[in-house]
């Protein structure tokens, strides 16, 4: 099958295309209705199919003879632990944990928040929730209590599952006190918290609310899989938007399973029994799709790695894991490879390892800059696939289909649209732009399976945020262009979202926090280029009249505030004082211009600017702080 034939079929005959892909999964009742619209007028996939995602990912494989194959390999250099679970063992653990949740009254449609480090129990918890037809919402461990509280209030979980601690290189991060603070701050109170006690830090449990994971598992009655409809939600995953309130991306069961199963072969070229390693975290969409669901739906072995690309213990960590478990695919963010390149520029540690099992390296989460691409290709000698996707889609929108027809890659491009995604580059008037011209990247409806049908509890936010710019299209929020051969180049966000070390963050949210400082009259937070993390946020701060404060002291206080509210993951480390911020006459800060100045790009002074002199002034200040990128 050629790429072109597969792609054209998916666009010209989406119902037939996805109906056929759906037959690749063990439904309880296969769907008859392939594509329909819901009460909001949104396209939905497989509405009348009956299924259970955990059944498809575990029980089905045990029943069809894969029970003794490793499903999960846990490798934790930070604790010196390694553990393997076969499909049978994982299914049994998941069924028991589902029993623990059931005993707490969790039933179909209930929400369960999971705030855990990279341990097998995080996957067991997710799959246990799915087994009951309930909805999980995993919150990344690097988020502060406030962020967790916001998510608890939005998702209103019956139960929270957590652990006593996570380990960051050699630092023990106590999660339980953060969970306690979050519940103190949230208006919604969960009925129970199930806590995994780790030997590195034992947590104090709150009587009447907290339950010890191990004790509960010891006496749990395994629970059966609960059938759900294809359109019933599997999970909510919060992601950053342009405001302080994160968006709860809703993922349904049926479309998600079909798309991920298809992607495992089409994009990643994985077969049942192969070892797949996504070096991400279950708190991000990459972790949901390719540490948990994708590999298990496909009968592969997934690697759960609790460590970093460097310092645990060195820049050879990735190569060691690939060799030890014979990983066929490695998927990580470009930042991880930049970190390895920084510490081991010649990749001399690579010589200690046998990478013959590794067929392809996949990267996503942020722009893959050509130097990092070239370095990885030349040092490893492996094909490197840049693929572009978003929390909202749950899988790649553009990529190089290694299981269908690998194309010659081009550095800086995420290759071609993945089947199902009708990718168009639109100008401000909604017309498709010619090759080479940069515009908004939009996806013509219907979106393929797995893409979000709504924002949890806020359909209007989904409609206005994604569907109203160009009628009939989903707006991705990314800008870019296609070349003459249709290759897609993603050039960055067109909104106030930034990507720091592959982590998606909202500058709008950081601005709300910085603006709350008593000395600050106004501020703009923008992303500037960072050689390691891709982008880093910086604050440009205007002081209130008459306020006298040392710039260093102010910076220290602002850094601490962002860390406390969002968490260390925000990587907000710089704030500089400016006299004026460039604005339009209606008072809107010209953030795009600020970004262009920081990136050293040429810019056009808009006719709506209030005070043109503010631009050269701010450029001078940013330059004097080394914040203007020079070619
Ligand atoms: N729980 C608690 N804290 C966490 C955390 C977690 N799960 N993950 C990160 N943090 C903390 C870190 O300890 C650090 O805190 P500090 O400021 O007190 O040192 C801060 O958040 C920033 O973390 P990170 O961005 O990971 O920086 P780092 O300097 O520790 O490591 C890299 C740098 C490049 C090695 C790291 O960013 C990396 O591995 N990046 C790959 C990203 C990735 O996999 N993204 C997934 C999307 S596909
Ligand atoms: P997230 O929802 O956290 O996966 O972040 C999605 C955003 O990350 C996208 O909208 C892009 O801005 C960026 N992104 C993800 N993958 C890529 C890629 N391969 N190239 C460029 N940007 C990417």
């Amino acid at each position: 099958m050629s790429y072109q034939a597969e792609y054209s079929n998916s666009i010209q005959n989406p119902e037939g295309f996805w109906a056929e892909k759906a037959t690749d999964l063990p439904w309880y009742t296969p769907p008859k209705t392939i594509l329909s619209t819901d009460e909001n007028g949104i396209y939905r996939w497989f509405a009348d199919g009956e299924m259970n995602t955990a059944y498809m990912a575990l029980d089905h494989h045990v029943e069809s003879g894969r029970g003794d194959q490793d499903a999960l390999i846990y490798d934790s250099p930070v604790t010196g632990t390694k553990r393997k679970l076969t499909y049978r063992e994982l299914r049994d653990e998941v069924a028991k944990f589902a029993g623990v949740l059931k005993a707490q009254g969790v039933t179909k449609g209930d929400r369960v928040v999971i705030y855990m480090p990279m341990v097998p129990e995080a996957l067991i918890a997710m799959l246990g929730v799915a087994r009951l037809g309930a909805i999980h919402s995993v919150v990344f461990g690097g988020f502060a209590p406030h962020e967790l509280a916001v998510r608890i209030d939005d998702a209103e979980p019956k139960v929270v599952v957590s652990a006593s601690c996570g380990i960051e290189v050699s630092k023990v991060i106590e999660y339980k006190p953060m969970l306690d603070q979050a519940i103190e701050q949230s208006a919604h109170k969960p009925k129970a918290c199930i806590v995994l006690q780790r030997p590195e830090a034992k947590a104090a449990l709150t009587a009447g609310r907290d339950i010890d994971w191990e004790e509960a598992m010891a006496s749990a009655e395994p629970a059966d899989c609960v059938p759900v409809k294809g359109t019933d939600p599997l999970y909510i995953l919060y992601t950053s938007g342009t405001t302080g309130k994160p968006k709860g991306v809703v993922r349904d069961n049926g479309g998600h399973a079909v798309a991920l199963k298809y992607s495992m072969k089409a994009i990643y070229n994985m077969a049942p029994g192969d070892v797949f390693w996504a070096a991400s975290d279950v708190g991000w969409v990459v972790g949901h799709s390719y540490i948990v669901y994708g590999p298990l739906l496909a009968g592969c072995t997934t690697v759960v790695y609790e460590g970093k690309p460097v310092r645990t213990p060195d820049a050879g960590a990735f190569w060691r894991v690939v060799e030890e478990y014979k990983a066929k695919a490695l998927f990580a963010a470009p930042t991880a490879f930049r970190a390895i390149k920084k510490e081991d520029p010649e990749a001399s540690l690579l010589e200690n390892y046998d990478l013959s099992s590794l067929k392809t390296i996949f990267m996503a989460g942020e722009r893959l800059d050509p130097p990092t691409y070239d370095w990885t290709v030349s040092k490893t000698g492996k094909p490197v696939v840049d693929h572009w996707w978003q929390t909202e889609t749950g899988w790649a929108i553009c990529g190089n289909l290694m299981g269908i027809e690998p194309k010659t890659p081009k550095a800086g491009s995420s290759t071609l649209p993945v089947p199902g995604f009708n990718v168009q580059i639109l100008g401000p008037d909604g017309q498709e732009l010619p090759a080479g011209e940069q515009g908004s990247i939009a996806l013509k409806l219907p979106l393929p399976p797995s893409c979000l049908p709504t924002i949890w509890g806020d359909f209007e936010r989904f409609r206005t945020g994604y569907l109203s710019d160009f009628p009939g299209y989903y707006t991705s929020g990314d800008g870019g262009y296609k070349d003459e051969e249709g290759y897609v180049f993603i050039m960055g966000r067109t909104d106030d979202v930034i990507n720091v070390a592959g982590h998606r963050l909202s500058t709008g949210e950081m601005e709300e926090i910085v603006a709350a400082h008593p000395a600050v009259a106004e501020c703009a937070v923008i992303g500037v280029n960072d050689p390691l993390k891709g982008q880093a946020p910086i604050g440009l701060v205007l002081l209130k009249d008459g306020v006298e404060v040392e710039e260093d002291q102010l910076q220290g206080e602002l850094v601490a505030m962002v860390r406390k509210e969002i968490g260390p993951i925000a990587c907000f480390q710089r704030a500089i004082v400016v006299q004026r911020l460039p604005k339009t006459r209606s008072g809107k800060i010209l953030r795009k211009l600020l970004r262009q100045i920081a990136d050293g790009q040429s810019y056009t002074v808009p006719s709506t600017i209030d005070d043109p002199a503010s631009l050269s002034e701010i450029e001078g200040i940013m330059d004097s702080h080394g914040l203007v990128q020079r070619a």
Side-chain angles (χ1 to χ4, degrees), residues 431-471:
Q431 294 303 308
E432 198 171 0
L433 294 174
E437 262 188 57
Q438 202 166 314
S440 301
I441 310 185
L443 310 176
K444 195 163 191 298
L445 304 178
L447 296 171
S450 167
C451 298
L452 81 173
T454 189
I455 297 291
W456 180 254
D458 198 350
F459 175 72
E460 204 37 35
R461 193 170 179 196
F462 174 57
R463 203 184 56 76
T464 53
Y466 297 96
L467 302 178
S468 52
D469 285 358
F470 307 111

Side-chain angles (χ1 to χ4, degrees), residues 239 285 364-367 386-392 478 490 493 499 504:
T239 188
V285 68
E366 57 178 322
R367 192 176 119 80
D386 176 15
H387 57 334
W388 168 59
W389 49 305
Q390 308 186 311
T391 305
E392 288 83 346
D478 281 301
I490 310 297
R493 299 287 304 190
N499 248 283
R504 178 165 156 184

Side-chain angles (χ1 to χ4, degrees), residues 140-142 168 171 173 175 279-281 284 286 308-311 332-333 335-336 339 364-365 501-503 532-533 563 568-569 571 573:
F140 177 64
E168 277 292 294
K171 254 185 320 188
I173 313 274
Y175 279 33
S280 178
D281 187 289
W284 307 114
V286 172
K308 301 257 176 188
V310 292
R311 293 180 284 141
T335 298
H503 305 138
L532 176 64
K533 298 193 176 184
R563 210 180 154 86
I569 205 68
C571 294
Q573 275 150 5

Side-chain angles (χ1 to χ4, degrees), residues 14 60 106 373 420 429 439 500 585:
H60 164 69
V106 174
Y373 172 83
D429 57 357
V500 181
R585 279 191 283 279

Side-chain angles (χ1 to χ4, degrees), residues 259-270:
L260 290 196
K261 177 82 194 289
Y262 171 66
S263 73
M264 287 302 291
K265 173 70 188 137
I267 300 177
Y268 302 102
N269 199 23
M270 300 297 286

